[in-house]
Amino acid sequence: MRILLIGFGSVGQALLPLLLRHSGLPASNIAAIAADACGRPVAERFGIRLERRPITPDNHRNVLQGRLQPGDVLINVAVEVSSLALIAWCREHGVLYLDTCVEPWAGGYAAADGSSTNHLLRRAALALHEPGAPTAVIAHGANPGLISHLAKEGLAALAAARGVPLESRISWAQMACALGVRVVQVAERDSQVSRLALPAGEFHNTWSVDGFLSEAWQCAELGWGSHEPALPDDAYRQEGEPGAIYLDGHGAEVRVKSWVPCCGEQEARLITHHEALSLAALLTLRDAAGGLVHRPTVYYAYRPSPAAQRSLEGWIAGGFQPPRHGRVLGDELVDGFDQLGVLFVFDGGAYWYGSTLSLHEARALAPHNTATSLQVVAGILGALDWMLANPRAGVVEAEEMDHARVLAVARPYLGAVSGVATDWQPGPGGDLSFKNFRLSSVTRKREFETL
């Protein structure tokens, strides 16, 4: 088997040493193609071939031709390299495929008006599914990806903690309904701090700068709950899916109340993510006639690292102009952790279940990693193990996979995985509608039709 990495930035470099460890492959069987040579020292250290060559709509087939055979693996951890194009090529050539998000070609995130939503990218990827085709695992890093497996494990843990008896064949949607879960936040706080000052016009982040800016630019997306009384004034339903909505304006401007164990209530950004849609689909319960019985509101509530938070605020204040320079923080980080989990909110309380991984633990577990990158890498490793055991599953999301198998591979790299109960609620009166979680946003005048 051979493995080809498309992209060799912070995630690709973090993945490589553990990929060699888990796959048992010689370095000669792993190669990478990237748009720049920033990862060359890491590639040379581990003895893999790194080719500097931007991949475009015009050249991707010629670049890939002859590099992989049936049964080989392509892992896409690049920005601005189309997942759809690579999935199609891999299917034609019998190659297995994995990515950490459904990525468009360059310019695919340019619109902030609902025409470039993750919902539409997700639909386009799922439309490529063919039973029995080579497996293509989409959107499987930490979140999206690993977080959906933690959500399943967390629901089961919540049921056990509350003494709720559940039938062995109950669906995840039935379980969420039985537990009264009305809101599911992917609640994350990155506390990793850097020894560097943040110069004016620069953007610092603990993972891809380009990737984060793309997500922050897109409009905020949610899975919309059955308990919600009405759509917000600036909300629009997604085409073809009444359970998915997006908000006018950029996700970076939408702030919400959230909760994580390390600090309690926090202010977070509602950043668009694939799992807001895929988890909402998993937890949608319908009756025999197809009528909606129960669906929680689902979204990603992210508090980035202190440097990334300051960078984001400067980017917004500067009118979203591209930063003068972007830096992915690695060796510059000196302390902190990444706490990533699923917050289940119900009447009278909430339950957080997830991973707390410190920077020092991550560095001890694998070279070239931070707490953030190692959580992503853990998700990739778990998905790769499942994919190799299920090579003819077509296009699949995390929700369709065996969460126990994926987590068995990922867990050694996740630090402390635990559940924490709290009586936290977003406000008085037990109102769990989205308006009670929302802090503010900038509503923009729209000049296009409502979907």
Side-chain angles (χ1 to χ4, degrees):
M1 181 179 73
R2 291 182 293 178
I3 297 176
L4 177 63
L5 301 175
I6 303 298
F8 201 63
S10 59
V11 172
Q13 294 170 50
L15 173 63
L16 179 59
L18 289 177
L19 190 59
L20 286 164
R21 181 188 302 175
H22 278 261
S23 70
L25 295 172
S28 58
N29 283 36
I30 300 176
I33 303 174
D36 58 52
C38 69
R40 190 167 300 284
V42 175
E44 291 176 350
R45 174 183 173 183
F46 289 96
I48 74 160
R49 184 166 58 88
L50 171 62
E51 180 178 346
R52 181 180 180 181
R53 190 170 184 183
I55 296 179
T56 69
D58 295 329
N59 74 4
H60 71 282
R61 288 184 170 273
N62 289 336
V63 170
L64 295 175
Q65 189 63 39
R67 294 178 185 267
L68 297 170
Q69 303 298 322
D72 289 342
V73 176
L74 188 153
I75 300 176
N76 182 14
V77 286
V79 296
E80 299 185 339
V81 178
S82 168
S83 295
L84 304 182
L86 296 187
I87 291 169
W89 186 90
C90 286
R91 182 173 59 191
E92 294 168 14
H93 293 82
V95 172
L96 306 182
Y97 173 85
L98 189 156
D99 65 33
T100 55
C101 71
V102 181
E103 190 74 19
W105 289 118
Y109 291 131
D113 61 3
S115 63
S116 62
T117 62
N118 279 10
H119 164 73
L120 294 176
L121 290 168
R122 175 178 180 254
R123 284 186 67 191
L126 294 177
L128 296 177
H129 174 71
E130 290 183 3
T135 300
V137 176
I138 60 171
H140 206 295
N143 58 311
L146 188 66
I147 199 68
S148 296
H149 306 299
L150 289 171
K152 291 179 179 179
E153 194 166 85
L155 276 172
L158 174 59
R162 293 175 62 182
V164 176
L166 300 171
E167 298 178 8
S168 60
R169 298 182 62 84
I170 192 172
S171 71
W172 298 110
Q174 290 170 320
M175 188 180 298
C177 182
L179 293 169
V181 174
R182 296 195 182 185
V183 177
V184 176
Q185 284 187 352
V186 175
E188 180 176 7
R189 187 181 185 95
D190 183 351
S191 74
Q192 295 170 102
V193 292
S194 168
R195 57 178 169 78
L196 297 181
L198 178 65
E202 289 199 10
F203 199 109
H204 291 184
N205 194 23
T206 56
W207 55 285
S208 170
V209 170
D210 291 336
F212 187 29
L213 288 174
S214 295
E215 292 181 350
W217 171 265
Q218 287 178 274
C219 51
E221 295 179 71
L222 304 81
W224 196 238
S226 55
H227 68 285
E228 300 284 359
L231 286 179
D233 291 340
D234 61 340
Y236 300 84
R237 294 196 184 276
Q238 300 266 26
E239 181 181 354
E241 178 50 70
I245 69 168
Y246 65 92
L247 305 178
D248 201 0
H250 309 291
E253 300 172 295
V254 181
R255 295 181 295 123
V256 293
K257 300 173 187 177
S258 185
W259 190 95
V260 289
C262 63
C263 66
E265 182 168 296
Q266 67 172 0
E267 178 184 304
R269 313 261 179 180
L270 202 168
I271 302 296
T272 184
H273 254 213
H274 188 105
E275 73 270 17
L277 309 167
S278 58
L279 269 175
L282 176 74
L283 300 179
T284 296
L285 179 61
R286 297 188 179 277
D287 59 27
L292 179 61
V293 175
H294 179 80
R295 177 174 51 235
T297 295
V298 186
Y299 55 92
Y300 177 34
Y302 182 37
R303 179 80 179 192
S305 70
Q309 180 80 355
R310 293 193 299 272
S311 298
L312 198 64
E313 290 166 354
W315 180 63
I316 295 170
F320 305 99
Q321 293 301 307
R324 178 168 53 84
H325 177 68
R327 180 190 291 271
V328 177
L329 301 171
D331 293 340
E332 303 87 351
L333 296 172
V334 295
D335 202 4
F337 55 84
D338 201 316
Q339 190 161 71
L340 168 66
V342 187
L343 182 69
F344 303 101
V345 188
F346 40 83
D347 290 339
Y351 183 77
W352 184 95
Y353 189 88
S355 159
T356 304
L357 178 65
S358 76
L359 172 67
H360 304 299
E361 285 178 290
R363 286 176 172 166
L365 287 166
H368 307 293
N369 269 278
T370 66
T372 305
S373 68
L374 190 54
Q375 289 172 328
V376 176
V377 167
I380 295 173
L381 292 174
L384 181 61
D385 175 80
W386 184 92
M387 183 168 66
L388 293 176
N390 298 271
R392 308 295 297 186
V395 177
V396 295
E397 298 176 289
E399 288 75 12
E400 302 168 71
M401 300 160 68
D402 177 358
H403 72 284
R405 177 166 191 147
V406 173
L407 287 174
V409 174
R411 197 181 301 273
Y413 304 109
L414 297 178
V417 177
S418 61
V420 180
T422 173
D423 60 2
W424 179 80
Q425 298 276 267
D431 183 0
L432 297 183
S433 61
F434 178 64
K435 64 180 176 60
N436 220 28
F437 287 84
R438 191 171 185 174
L439 287 165
S440 72
S441 71
V442 177
T443 301
R444 303 189 178 280
K445 182 180 179 181
R446 299 173 58 84
E447 298 178 353
F448 49 88
E449 295 297 321
T450 302
L451 293 177

Coordinates of all heavy atoms in Angstrom, one line a residue, residues 205-265:
N205 N -2.3 31.5 14.6 CA -3.3 30.5 14.9 C -2.5 29.2 15.3 O -1.4 29.0 14.9 CB -4.2 30.3 13.7 CG -5.5 29.5 14.1 OD1 -5.9 29.4 15.3 ND2 -6.1 28.8 13.1
T206 N -3.2 28.3 16.0 CA -2.6 27.0 16.3 C -2.8 26.0 15.3 O -2.4 24.8 15.4 CB -3.1 26.6 17.7 OG1 -4.5 26.5 17.6 CG2 -2.7 27.5 18.8
W207 N -3.6 26.3 14.2 CA -3.7 25.4 13.1 C -3.8 26.4 11.9 O -3.6 27.5 12.0 CB -4.9 24.5 13.2 CG -6.2 25.2 13.5 CD1 -6.7 25.7 14.7 CD2 -7.3 25.4 12.6 NE1 -7.9 26.3 14.6 CE2 -8.3 26.1 13.3 CE3 -7.5 25.1 11.3 CZ2 -9.5 26.5 12.7 CZ3 -8.7 25.5 10.6 CH2 -9.7 26.2 11.3
S208 N -4.2 25.8 10.7 CA -4.1 26.5 9.5 C -4.7 27.9 9.5 O -5.9 28.1 9.9 CB -4.8 25.7 8.4 OG -5.0 26.5 7.2
V209 N -3.9 29.0 9.2 CA -4.5 30.3 9.1 C -5.5 30.4 8.0 O -6.6 31.0 8.1 CB -3.3 31.3 9.0 CG1 -3.8 32.7 8.6 CG2 -2.5 31.4 10.2
D210 N -5.1 29.9 6.8 CA -6.0 30.0 5.6 C -7.3 29.3 5.9 O -8.4 29.7 5.5 CB -5.3 29.5 4.4 CG -4.2 30.3 3.9 OD1 -4.2 31.5 4.2 OD2 -3.3 29.8 3.2
G211 N -7.2 28.1 6.5 CA -8.4 27.3 6.8 C -9.3 28.0 7.8 O -10.5 28.0 7.6
F212 N -8.7 28.6 8.8 CA -9.6 29.3 9.8 C -10.2 30.6 9.2 O -11.4 30.9 9.4 CB -8.7 29.7 11.0 CG -9.5 30.3 12.2 CD1 -10.8 29.9 12.4 CD2 -8.9 31.1 13.1 CE1 -11.6 30.4 13.4 CE2 -9.6 31.7 14.1 CZ -11.0 31.3 14.3
L213 N -9.5 31.3 8.4 CA -10.0 32.5 7.8 C -11.2 32.1 6.9 O -12.2 32.9 6.8 CB -8.9 33.3 7.1 CG -7.9 34.0 7.9 CD1 -6.8 34.6 7.1 CD2 -8.6 35.1 8.7
S214 N -11.0 31.0 6.1 CA -12.1 30.6 5.3 C -13.4 30.3 6.1 O -14.5 30.7 5.7 CB -11.7 29.4 4.5 OG -10.6 29.7 3.6
E215 N -13.2 29.5 7.1 CA -14.4 29.2 8.0 C -15.0 30.5 8.6 O -16.2 30.6 8.7 CB -14.0 28.3 9.1 CG -13.6 26.9 8.6 CD -13.2 26.0 9.8 OE1 -13.1 26.4 10.9 OE2 -13.1 24.8 9.6
A216 N -14.2 31.4 9.1 CA -14.6 32.6 9.8 C -15.3 33.5 8.8 O -16.2 34.3 9.2 CB -13.5 33.3 10.5
W217 N -15.0 33.5 7.5 CA -15.6 34.3 6.5 C -17.0 33.8 6.1 O -17.9 34.6 5.9 CB -14.7 34.4 5.3 CG -15.3 35.0 4.1 CD1 -16.0 34.4 3.1 CD2 -15.4 36.4 3.8 NE1 -16.4 35.3 2.2 CE2 -16.1 36.6 2.6 CE3 -14.9 37.6 4.5 CZ2 -16.4 37.8 2.0 CZ3 -15.2 38.8 3.9 CH2 -15.9 38.9 2.7
Q218 N -17.1 32.5 6.1 CA -18.4 31.9 5.6 C -19.5 32.3 6.6 O -19.2 32.6 7.8 CB -18.3 30.4 5.6 CG -17.5 29.8 4.4 CD -17.4 28.3 4.5 OE1 -16.6 27.7 5.2 NE2 -18.4 27.6 3.9
C219 N -20.7 32.3 6.1 CA -21.9 32.5 7.0 C -22.0 31.4 8.1 O -21.7 30.3 7.8 CB -23.1 32.7 6.2 SG -23.5 31.4 5.1
A220 N -22.5 31.8 9.2 CA -22.7 30.8 10.3 C -23.8 29.8 9.9 O -24.8 30.2 9.4 CB -23.0 31.5 11.6
E221 N -23.6 28.5 10.2 CA -24.6 27.5 9.8 C -25.0 26.7 11.1 O -24.1 26.4 11.9 CB -24.0 26.5 8.8 CG -23.8 27.2 7.4 CD -23.2 26.3 6.4 OE1 -24.0 25.4 5.9 OE2 -22.0 26.4 6.1
L222 N -26.2 26.3 11.1 CA -26.7 25.5 12.2 C -27.7 24.4 11.7 O -28.3 24.6 10.7 CB -27.6 26.4 13.2 CG -27.0 27.7 13.8 CD1 -27.1 28.8 12.9 CD2 -27.8 28.0 15.1
G223 N -27.7 23.3 12.5 CA -28.9 22.4 12.4 C -30.0 23.0 13.3 O -29.7 23.3 14.5
W224 N -31.2 23.1 12.8 CA -32.2 23.9 13.4 C -33.2 23.0 14.2 O -33.8 22.1 13.6 CB -33.0 24.7 12.4 CG -33.8 25.8 13.0 CD1 -35.2 26.0 12.9 CD2 -33.4 26.9 13.9 NE1 -35.6 27.1 13.6 CE2 -34.5 27.7 14.2 CE3 -32.1 27.3 14.4 CZ2 -34.4 28.8 15.0 CZ3 -32.0 28.4 15.2 CH2 -33.1 29.2 15.5
G225 N -33.3 23.2 15.5 CA -34.0 22.3 16.4 C -35.6 22.4 16.3 O -36.1 23.5 16.0
S226 N -36.2 21.3 16.6 CA -37.7 21.3 16.6 C -38.3 22.1 17.7 O -39.5 22.4 17.6 CB -38.1 19.8 16.7 OG -37.6 19.2 17.8
H227 N -37.6 22.4 18.7 CA -38.1 23.2 19.8 C -38.1 24.7 19.6 O -38.6 25.5 20.3 CB -37.3 22.9 21.1 CG -35.9 23.5 21.1 ND1 -34.9 22.8 20.3 CD2 -35.3 24.6 21.6 CE1 -33.8 23.5 20.5 NE2 -34.0 24.6 21.3
E228 N -37.4 25.1 18.5 CA -37.2 26.6 18.2 C -38.5 27.2 17.8 O -39.2 26.7 16.9 CB -36.1 26.8 17.1 CG -34.8 26.2 17.5 CD -34.0 27.1 18.5 OE1 -34.5 28.1 18.9 OE2 -32.9 26.7 18.8
P229 N -38.9 28.3 18.4 CA -40.2 28.9 18.1 C -40.3 29.6 16.7 O -41.3 29.6 16.1 CB -40.4 30.0 19.2 CG -39.0 30.3 19.7 CD -38.2 29.0 19.5
A230 N -39.2 30.2 16.3 CA -39.2 30.9 15.0 C -37.7 31.1 14.6 O -36.8 31.1 15.4 CB -39.9 32.2 15.1
L231 N -37.6 31.3 13.2 CA -36.2 31.6 12.7 C -35.8 33.0 13.2 O -36.6 33.9 13.3 CB -36.2 31.6 11.2 CG -36.3 30.2 10.5 CD1 -36.3 30.4 9.0 CD2 -35.1 29.3 10.9
P232 N -34.5 33.2 13.4 CA -34.0 34.5 13.7 C -34.3 35.4 12.4 O -34.4 34.9 11.3 CB -32.5 34.3 13.9 CG -32.4 32.9 14.3 CD -33.5 32.2 13.6
D233 N -34.4 36.7 12.6 CA -34.7 37.6 11.5 C -33.6 37.5 10.4 O -34.0 37.8 9.3 CB -34.7 39.1 12.0 CG -35.9 39.3 12.9 OD1 -36.9 38.5 12.9 OD2 -35.9 40.3 13.7
D234 N -32.4 37.2 10.8 CA -31.3 37.1 9.7 C -31.0 35.7 9.3 O -29.9 35.4 8.8 CB -30.1 37.8 10.2 CG -29.5 37.1 11.5 OD1 -30.2 36.4 12.2 OD2 -28.3 37.4 11.8
A235 N -32.0 34.8 9.5 CA -31.7 33.4 9.2 C -32.5 33.0 7.9 O -33.6 33.5 7.6 CB -32.2 32.5 10.3
Y236 N -31.9 32.0 7.2 CA -32.5 31.5 5.9 C -32.3 30.0 5.9 O -31.3 29.5 6.3 CB -31.8 32.2 4.8 CG -31.9 33.7 4.8 CD1 -31.0 34.4 5.5 CD2 -32.9 34.3 4.1 CE1 -31.1 35.8 5.6 CE2 -33.1 35.7 4.2 CZ -32.2 36.4 4.9 OH -32.3 37.8 5.0
R237 N -33.3 29.4 5.4 CA -33.2 27.9 5.3 C -32.4 27.5 4.2 O -32.4 28.1 3.1 CB -34.6 27.3 5.2 CG -35.5 27.5 6.4 CD -36.7 26.6 6.4 NE -37.6 26.9 7.5 CZ -37.5 26.4 8.7 NH1 -36.5 25.6 9.0 NH2 -38.3 26.7 9.7
Q238 N -31.6 26.4 4.4 CA -30.7 25.9 3.3 C -31.6 25.2 2.2 O -32.6 24.5 2.5 CB -29.7 24.9 3.9 CG -28.8 25.5 5.0 CD -27.5 26.0 4.4 OE1 -27.4 26.4 3.3 NE2 -26.5 26.1 5.3
E239 N -31.1 25.3 1.0 CA -31.8 24.7 -0.1 C -31.9 23.2 0.1 O -30.9 22.5 0.3 CB -31.0 25.0 -1.4 CG -31.6 24.4 -2.6 CD -30.8 24.8 -3.9 OE1 -29.8 25.5 -3.7 OE2 -31.1 24.3 -4.9
G240 N -33.1 22.7 0.0 CA -33.3 21.2 0.1 C -33.3 20.6 1.4 O -33.4 19.4 1.5
E241 N -33.1 21.4 2.5 CA -33.0 20.8 3.8 C -33.6 21.8 4.9 O -32.9 22.7 5.3 CB -31.5 20.5 4.2 CG -31.3 19.9 5.6 CD -32.2 18.8 5.9 OE1 -32.0 17.7 5.3 OE2 -33.1 19.0 6.7
P242 N -34.8 21.6 5.3 CA -35.5 22.5 6.2 C -34.8 22.5 7.6 O -35.0 23.4 8.4 CB -36.9 22.0 6.3 CG -36.9 20.6 5.8 CD -35.8 20.5 4.8
G243 N -34.1 21.4 7.9 CA -33.4 21.3 9.2 C -32.1 22.0 9.3 O -31.4 22.0 10.3
A244 N -31.7 22.7 8.2 CA -30.4 23.4 8.2 C -30.6 24.8 7.8 O -31.4 25.1 6.9 CB -29.5 22.7 7.2
I245 N -30.0 25.7 8.6 CA -30.2 27.2 8.3 C -28.8 27.8 8.3 O -27.8 27.3 8.7 CB -31.0 27.9 9.3 CG1 -30.4 28.0 10.7 CG2 -32.4 27.2 9.5 CD1 -31.0 28.9 11.7
Y246 N -28.7 29.0 7.7 CA -27.5 29.9 7.8 C -28.0 31.3 8.2 O -29.1 31.7 8.0 CB -26.7 29.9 6.5 CG -27.4 30.5 5.3 CD1 -27.2 31.8 5.0 CD2 -28.2 29.7 4.5 CE1 -27.8 32.4 3.9 CE2 -28.8 30.3 3.4 CZ -28.6 31.6 3.1 OH -29.2 32.2 2.0
L247 N -27.0 32.0 8.8 CA -27.3 33.4 9.2 C -26.6 34.4 8.3 O -25.5 34.1 7.8 CB -26.8 33.6 10.7 CG -27.3 32.6 11.7 CD1 -26.7 32.9 13.1 CD2 -28.8 32.7 11.8
D248 N -27.2 35.5 8.1 CA -26.6 36.6 7.3 C -25.3 37.1 8.0 O -25.2 37.2 9.2 CB -27.6 37.7 7.2 CG -27.4 38.6 6.0 OD1 -26.4 38.3 5.3 OD2 -28.2 39.5 5.8
G249 N -24.3 37.3 7.2 CA -23.1 37.8 7.7 C -22.1 36.7 7.9 O -22.3 35.5 7.6
H250 N -20.9 37.1 8.4 CA -19.8 36.1 8.6 C -19.9 35.5 10.0 O -20.2 36.1 11.0 CB -18.5 36.9 8.5 CG -18.4 37.7 7.2 ND1 -18.3 37.1 6.0 CD2 -18.4 39.0 7.1 CE1 -18.2 38.1 5.1 NE2 -18.3 39.3 5.7
G251 N -19.5 34.2 10.0 CA -19.5 33.4 11.3 C -18.7 34.1 12.3 O -19.0 34.0 13.5
A252 N -17.6 34.7 12.0 CA -16.7 35.3 12.9 C -17.4 36.4 13.7 O -16.9 36.8 14.8 CB -15.5 36.0 12.2
E253 N -18.5 37.0 13.2 CA -19.2 38.0 13.9 C -20.3 37.5 14.8 O -20.9 38.3 15.5 CB -19.8 39.0 12.8 CG -18.7 39.6 11.9 CD -19.3 40.4 10.8 OE1 -20.0 39.8 10.0 OE2 -19.2 41.6 10.8
V254 N -20.6 36.2 14.7 CA -21.7 35.7 15.5 C -21.2 35.1 16.8 O -20.5 34.1 16.8 CB -22.5 34.6 14.7 CG1 -23.7 34.1 15.5 CG2 -23.0 35.2 13.4
R255 N -21.5 35.7 17.9 CA -21.0 35.3 19.2 C -22.2 34.6 20.0 O -23.3 35.1 20.0 CB -20.4 36.5 20.0 CG -19.2 37.1 19.3 CD -18.6 38.2 20.0 NE -19.5 39.4 20.1 CZ -19.9 39.9 21.2 NH1 -19.6 39.4 22.4 NH2 -20.8 41.0 21.2
V256 N -21.8 33.6 20.7 CA -22.8 32.8 21.5 C -22.3 32.5 22.9 O -21.0 32.5 23.1 CB -23.2 31.5 20.8 CG1 -23.9 31.8 19.5 CG2 -21.9 30.6 20.5
K257 N -23.2 32.2 23.8 CA -22.8 31.7 25.1 C -22.5 30.2 25.0 O -23.3 29.5 24.3 CB -23.9 31.9 26.1 CG -24.3 33.3 26.3 CD -25.6 33.4 27.2 CE -26.1 34.7 27.3 NZ -27.4 34.8 28.1
S258 N -21.5 29.7 25.6 CA -21.2 28.3 25.6 C -20.6 27.9 27.0 O -20.6 28.8 27.9 CB -20.1 28.0 24.5 OG -19.9 26.6 24.4
W259 N -20.3 26.7 27.2 CA -19.8 26.2 28.5 C -18.8 25.1 28.2 O -19.0 24.2 27.4 CB -20.9 25.7 29.3 CG -20.6 25.3 30.7 CD1 -20.7 26.2 31.8 CD2 -20.0 24.1 31.2 NE1 -20.3 25.5 33.0 CE2 -19.8 24.3 32.6 CE3 -19.6 22.9 30.6 CZ2 -19.3 23.3 33.4 CZ3 -19.1 21.9 31.4 CH2 -18.9 22.1 32.8
V260 N -17.6 25.2 28.9 CA -16.6 24.1 28.9 C -16.1 23.9 30.4 O -16.2 24.8 31.2 CB -15.4 24.5 28.0 CG1 -15.8 24.4 26.5 CG2 -14.9 25.8 28.3
P261 N -15.7 22.7 30.7 CA -15.3 22.4 32.1 C -14.2 23.3 32.7 O -14.2 23.6 33.9 CB -14.9 21.0 32.0 CG -15.6 20.4 30.9 CD -15.6 21.5 29.9
C262 N -13.2 23.7 31.8 CA -12.1 24.4 32.4 C -12.4 25.8 32.9 O -11.7 26.3 33.8 CB -11.0 24.5 31.3 SG -11.5 25.5 29.9
C263 N -13.5 26.4 32.4 CA -13.8 27.8 32.9 C -15.2 28.1 33.1 O -15.6 29.2 33.6 CB -13.2 28.8 31.8 SG -14.0 28.8 30.2
G264 N -16.1 27.1 32.8 CA -17.5 27.4 32.9 C -18.0 28.1 31.7 O -17.6 27.8 30.5
E265 N -18.9 29.1 31.9 CA -19.5 29.8 30.8 C -18.4 30.6 30.0 O -17.5 31.2 30.7 CB -20.6 30.8 31.2 CG -21.2 31.5 30.0 CD -22.5 32.3 30.5 OE1 -23.5 31.6 30.9 OE2 -22.5 33.5 30.4

